[in-house]
Each structure stands twice: as C-alpha cells, then as structure tokens.
Amino acid sequence: MTSPPNPLSLLVRKLEIHARLTDDDRKAVLALPWTMRTVDAGTYSIREGDRPEGCAVLVSGFAFRQKLTGDGARQIVALHIPGEPLDLQHLFLDVADHSVQTLTRADLAVIPRVALQKLVRESAGVAHAVLVTILVEASIFREWVLNVGRRPSRERLAHVLCEFAARLDAQGLAEEYGYELPMTQEQLADTLGLTPVHVNRTLKSLETEGLIKRDRRFIRFPDWERMRRAADFSERYLHLQPQLSGSPA
Amino acid sequence: MTSPPNPLSLLVRKLEIHARLTDDDRKAVLALPWTMRTVDAGTYSIREGDRPEGCAVLVSGFAFRQKLTGDGARQIVALHIPGEPLDLQHLFLDVADHSVQTLTRADLAVIPRVALQKLVRESAGVAHAVLVTILVEASIFREWVLNVGRRPSRERLAHVLCEFAARLDAQGLAEEYGYELPMTQEQLADTLGLTPVHVNRTLKSLETEGLIKRDRRFIRFPDWERMRRAADFSERYLHLQPQLSGSPA
DNA sequence: CGTAGTGTTGAGTCAAGTCAATGGTTGTGG
DNA sequence: CCACAACCATTGACTTGACTCAACACTACG
C-alpha cells in the first residue's frame, strides 16, 4: 500500500526548473507541514493590505496577481500555473502590496508562512532555490513592463499567449497542440492593459492571420515559429535552464 | 588620521532601509572586496545576453534598467539612485535578461559577483537583507506594470515623479523642495511607455495645473499632498519600514 | 426556458502618436 | 571669447490605435 502523493512534490518540481536541489533539500521541502484546501474560482489567497499568514502552492488550477488604481481600474501583473508557489513574493514582506486570486477552481496546499521562513533560514539549498525562483519572477515582471509599455496590442496579446505556452511546457503541463486559456477576455484585457472589446478584436485578428486557432477558450498554434516571431517572444527572460553559478557544491 | 569612508556603507544603509542587520552582518558587508570605477553617463554595468561578472553599487550618480523589443523600441523598467546595488537582480541568474546603464556620470563600487554570492550563502542575515531588497524591487516592478498598463499619461508621469521623490527621501538624499531629475524627456518617455512629445506636453500640463514647478530638470512640488493624490501614489509598495517578520532573532 | 455572464460586432470619439519645424542650452575648439 | 555643432525641449498640424457606447448573440446552468 502506497501513501497518497505529496502535493509538495509539485513545488519541488517547480524549484528544480530553476535550481538544483540536493536530496536533503528535497526531503526538507516535502517535510514541510501543509493543509489542503479546495477553493472556487475567484478565491483570494491574499489581499492587498493584509498581513500574509500562509504560503499557498497551486496544486491544480490557475491563479493571478492583481493591483488596482485609485479609480478601480485593475491590472493583472502575473499569471500562475499548477505547481507554482503563490505567496513567495510576500514571504518576508509584512503587508501585501497586491492581491492574489484563483482564476479557476483550484487545489491549494497551504504551508504556514513561519514554517517556510524557518526552512529558508536554515537550509542554504532551499534558500538558494527560493531566491532564484523570485529572481525569475522579477525577470517576468520586467518583461511585462516592456510588453505593456512598448508593444502594440497584437504583439502584446501574442506575447502573453506564448509565455503561457512556454511555462506550461516547462512545468510538464503542455498538451500536444495548445492549451485551455483559463480566463475571460475581460481578465485578459486586464493583464494586457487593454479593453475587453479590443482584446476580442485582437484575438480575431490573430486568428484571421492564422497565428492561432480557437475553440472556446482552447488556443492552438498552427505554426509556433511564426507565432513566436509575431509575438517578439524569446524564452530568455524565463531562465528555464537551472542556474548553476551560485549552487552549493 | 581617519581612513577614507568605505563606499559600501551606502549599501549597508540601503539594506537597512528594508531589513535589520546585526553588527556582524554590517561588518561582513563592509569587508567585501570592491574596486572603485568612475564612469561616464551611458556606461553599461551589464548588457542583456551577457554573463554577469561583478555586482556594482551606485555610490554616486543614477542608473536605469532597460529592455528592447525586436523593433528596437526601448522600455526603461527601473531607475536607481545612489546607494542602490545594480546587479542583485542577476546575482544568481547566469545570463542577463536586461541591460543596466548609468544615467549620469557615476561612481561605482564593483564587488566581484562570487564574493557576494559567497557572503549571501554564508551569512543568514545578509541573505535575508538581500532577499528582502529583491522582494521590494519586485514589488516596484509590479507597480510599474500597473502604472504603464492602467494609468493615463498624466497620472503615470506624476506617479514616477512621486516615486523618485519618495525613494530619494528614504535614502536620505532628498533636497528641501524637490530634486534634479537626471534624465532627458526621451528617457522619461521610455520609462513611461509614451513618446517624448507627449511627455513634454504632459509635463507642461502638470506645471500649468500647479502640481509641479520646473527649472531645467529641477522638479519642485508646491503641494505634495495634491501631487500625491493626482498621481494616485501610495508608498505602500515601496515597503519602506524594515520588514521584521523574518528577521533572525 | 430564463437569466446572467461572456463573447461579438458596429459606429463614433479621443488620447496619444507621428511628422516636421523652431528654439534653447551646453560644451568645445579655433 | 565667439561660433558652431550637437543635443534637447517645445510647439503646431494631422493621424491613428485603442476606447466608448450600445446592441445583440451565444452558452451554461438552475
């Protein structure tokens, strides 16, 4: 009789995308305390202004980070896929500067924040992996500033679609020819800094050009290379190779 | 006879804006090897695609981070003021995803990357301070995504002007009534995702409304509270209070 | 079925961009 | 010390990509 799989093994896989872990590091992560929570779409993991308590790992489902302007306009500043930790960004910050919300129904493994803080303080290997993961997230934020600041709507949308595909692929979640984009056009608009109407037209235009095919929210790329070029997409900023320079011997 | 001041004391001051350091931590930072370099405006600290070698600290002068689209459009994704480390974002990433360049003539204290990596691995206190500093930079990136994605040009420009003021102030560099903005309108346009012409008009409009006064590149705020409101600016995302939750006892 | 949330489309508007010229500053070398 | 050159800031006239408003269609779910 085998025990049920530890949901934190997904977190290990995510950390190992960017850094090497020793057997002890892996064990230490898997030994973290956690509780499972199944939540509906739209559930907050943390709200701007709150004090972080837990650190959720997305076991299944999707999530996003958002900020609001004083006028109530929303900007989605990050998307998250299964296996990704949602609250590392607030691991050592005492008041949340943004909110994190599920995009779909999701299973969360919630680790007490203090337990993770303790592990990060005590294990150099885990600390390194967490640090690299945060550096990579920062790199993605920078790319988003560029995307939203300087790319016209067509490329902007295409770029986000490519990033999503590349990250799903890296986490071993890519389906053969595309993926289900788990968001409404309004949410997509808020990640792109556009209006929903314009997103709709831009999607149509990508489809007319043969860069994507759509069936409901399922997106397919008939010609990935052409799509990549149209999106001005390069994987570099995702830093998908494990970063070796700072690894412990 | 006193020895010349250690330029790394500025880095200590910066780290202590966000985290507490013990005496030993401070000493360890000050004991890092460094070499001084005085460079002209426009000098690269690192270029996108390169492997990071050193970690520069801005002792005097200003700097920025930039990315380019395939078409050559530029987006400035961060600004840096004296005392700030410029290459922490690449401390454990092996290929640079963006470039870092000085905005003005500047004095850099360059720490060998491996020395800083070693210190971060060996000192829990310094590692914590570096991690918090990176988390705060990530928070600023998120705010920039919001700023560029969702705020109209007037607020967008005002917001960056406010952030610059608040950060200068936190680092103890604020002059009584304003500051010299060390950049051309073209560079400002590239940080805002606007065109230089529109930045010019937007500056004039802020001035006409009495929100700012200008003399060359010197910016003054006649009524900080009104400016803050017009900019939709809140300091929260700068996390200026030292973050205590994860501090070593 | 009916209702609420999405997605789609058309027509008209506007914020920001483009193009192009002029004016001001700064630094440098004769 | 002046004159030129290079760079930067400013302004006007015109264009356009994206937004707004509004209607209608589709889908899922109770």
Side-chain angles (χ1 to χ4, degrees):
Chain A
M1 174 179 166
T2 58
S3 53
N6 184 332
L8 295 187
S9 61
L10 260 179
L11 174 58
V12 169
R13 170 184 224 156
K14 167 67 183 174
L15 292 174
E16 289 192 309
I17 288 177
H18 302 298
R20 296 230 190 282
L21 291 179
T22 64
D23 284 348
D24 283 349
D25 296 335
R26 254 190 299 273
K27 274 182 208 150
V29 173
L30 294 173
L32 282 165
W34 51 270
T35 55
M36 233 25 221
R37 251 184 95 198
T38 299
V39 302
D40 284 333
T43 303
Y44 285 87
S45 173
I46 189 164
R47 282 172 197 265
E48 179 172 354
D50 283 1
R51 294 180 178 276
E53 297 288 341
C55 178
V57 175
L58 203 46
V59 173
S60 74
F62 294 84
F64 64 96
R65 301 175 187 280
Q66 69 167 65
K67 301 194 70 148
L68 301 173
T69 65
D71 298 342
R74 174 172 70 167
Q75 177 70 41
I76 290 177
V77 300
L79 297 176
H80 288 287
I81 67 175
E84 295 187 335
L86 298 182
D87 300 280
L88 244 37
Q89 289 291 339
H90 288 127
L91 186 59
F92 292 112
L93 297 179
D94 293 336
V95 179
D97 55 74
H98 68 284
S99 301
V100 180
Q101 224 177 334
T102 55
L103 210 39
T104 61
R105 198 174 164 70
D107 296 307
L108 303 178
V110 182
I111 303 166
R113 187 166 177 256
V114 288
L116 189 54
Q117 288 180 337
K118 186 159 176 285
L119 177 57
V120 165
R121 270 207 304 278
E122 291 172 1
S123 160
V126 174
H128 181 257
V130 166
L131 183 44
V132 172
T133 300
I134 288 171
L135 288 177
V136 171
E137 288 195 7
S139 172
I140 295 174
F141 290 137
R142 288 189 287 272
E143 184 71 26
W144 281 40
V145 175
L146 171 65
N147 201 39
V148 167
R150 281 296 183 220
R151 283 200 262 256
S153 61
R154 171 99 55 102
E155 287 180 44
R156 202 137 123 196
L157 170 55
H159 195 277
V160 165
L161 295 178
C162 286
E163 179 185 309
F164 207 73
R167 286 170 56 193
L168 283 173
D169 190 47
Q171 185 68 325
L173 295 169
E175 292 165 56
E176 189 68 28
Y177 296 113
Y179 56 83
E180 179 84 19
L181 186 70
M183 57 201 316
T184 65
Q185 291 180 7
E186 185 176 8
Q187 290 163 336
L188 200 45
D190 285 338
T191 99
L192 297 167
L194 298 171
T195 57
V197 171
H198 199 63
V199 166
N200 183 284
R201 292 181 170 133
T202 308
L203 278 168
K204 196 169 70 165
S205 134
L206 287 177
E207 193 168 26
T208 305
E209 294 225 353
L211 288 166
I212 62 173
K213 287 197 170 159
R214 287 189 295 164
D215 179 19
R216 317 285 161 129
R217 291 181 187 169
F218 197 92
I219 306 278
R220 217 177 297 273
F221 305 111
D223 181 345
W224 171 252
E225 260 316 309
R226 203 157 77 82
M227 180 65 178
R228 176 196 208 106
R229 258 179 283 117
D232 188 28
F233 179 74
S234 152
E235 286 193 347
R236 168 137 69 205
Y237 73 99
L238 297 175
H239 296 279
L240 291 173
Q241 277 69 44
Q243 307 296 309
L244 303 175
S245 68
S247 309
Chain B
M1 175 177 167
T2 59
S3 52
N6 184 333
L8 295 187
S9 61
L10 260 178
L11 174 58
V12 169
R13 171 184 224 157
K14 166 68 184 174
L15 292 174
E16 289 193 308
I17 289 177
H18 302 299
R20 296 232 190 281
L21 291 180
T22 64
D23 284 349
D24 283 350
D25 296 334
R26 254 189 300 274
K27 273 183 208 147
V29 172
L30 293 172
L32 282 165
W34 50 270
T35 55
M36 232 26 221
R37 251 183 95 199
T38 299
V39 301
D40 283 334
T43 304
Y44 285 87
S45 174
I46 189 165
R47 284 173 196 266
E48 180 172 353
D50 284 1
R51 293 181 179 276
E53 298 288 342
C55 178
V57 174
L58 202 47
V59 173
S60 73
F62 295 83
F64 63 97
R65 300 175 187 280
Q66 68 166 64
K67 300 194 71 147
L68 301 173
T69 66
D71 299 342
R74 173 172 72 166
Q75 178 71 40
I76 290 177
V77 299
L79 298 176
H80 288 287
I81 67 176
E84 296 187 334
L86 297 182
D87 300 280
L88 244 37
Q89 290 290 339
H90 289 126
L91 186 59
F92 292 112
L93 298 179
D94 293 334
V95 178
D97 55 74
H98 67 284
S99 302
V100 180
Q101 223 176 336
T102 55
L103 210 38
T104 61
R105 198 173 164 71
D107 297 306
L108 303 178
V110 182
I111 303 166
R113 186 165 177 257
V114 288
L116 189 54
Q117 287 180 338
K118 186 157 175 287
L119 177 57
V120 165
R121 271 206 303 278
E122 291 173 0
S123 160
V126 174
H128 180 256
V130 165
L131 183 44
V132 171
T133 300
I134 288 171
L135 288 177
V136 171
E137 288 194 8
S139 172
I140 296 174
F141 289 137
R142 287 190 287 273
E143 184 71 27
W144 281 42
V145 175
L146 171 65
N147 201 40
V148 167
R150 281 296 183 221
R151 282 200 263 256
S153 61
R154 171 98 55 101
E155 286 180 43
R156 202 188 292 186
L157 171 55
H159 195 278
V160 165
L161 295 178
C162 285
E163 178 185 310
F164 207 74
R167 285 169 58 193
L168 284 173
D169 189 47
Q171 185 67 323
L173 295 169
E175 292 166 56
E176 188 69 26
Y177 296 113
Y179 57 82
E180 179 84 20
L181 186 71
M183 56 201 316
T184 65
Q185 291 180 7
E186 186 176 8
Q187 290 163 335
L188 200 45
D190 285 338
T191 100
L192 297 167
L194 299 170
T195 56
V197 171
H198 198 64
V199 165
N200 184 283
R201 293 181 170 134
T202 308
L203 278 168
K204 197 169 70 164
S205 133
L206 287 176
E207 193 169 25
T208 304
E209 295 225 352
L211 288 165
I212 61 172
K213 289 198 167 158
R214 288 188 294 163
D215 179 19
R216 317 284 162 129
R217 291 180 187 170
F218 198 92
I219 306 279
R220 217 177 297 273
F221 306 110
D223 181 344
W224 172 252
E225 261 315 310
R226 204 157 77 82
M227 179 65 179
R228 176 195 207 109
R229 258 179 285 118
D232 187 28
F233 180 75
S234 153
E235 287 193 348
R236 170 139 64 207
Y237 74 99
L238 296 175
H239 296 279
L240 291 173
Q241 277 69 44
Q243 307 296 309
L244 302 174
S245 67
S247 309

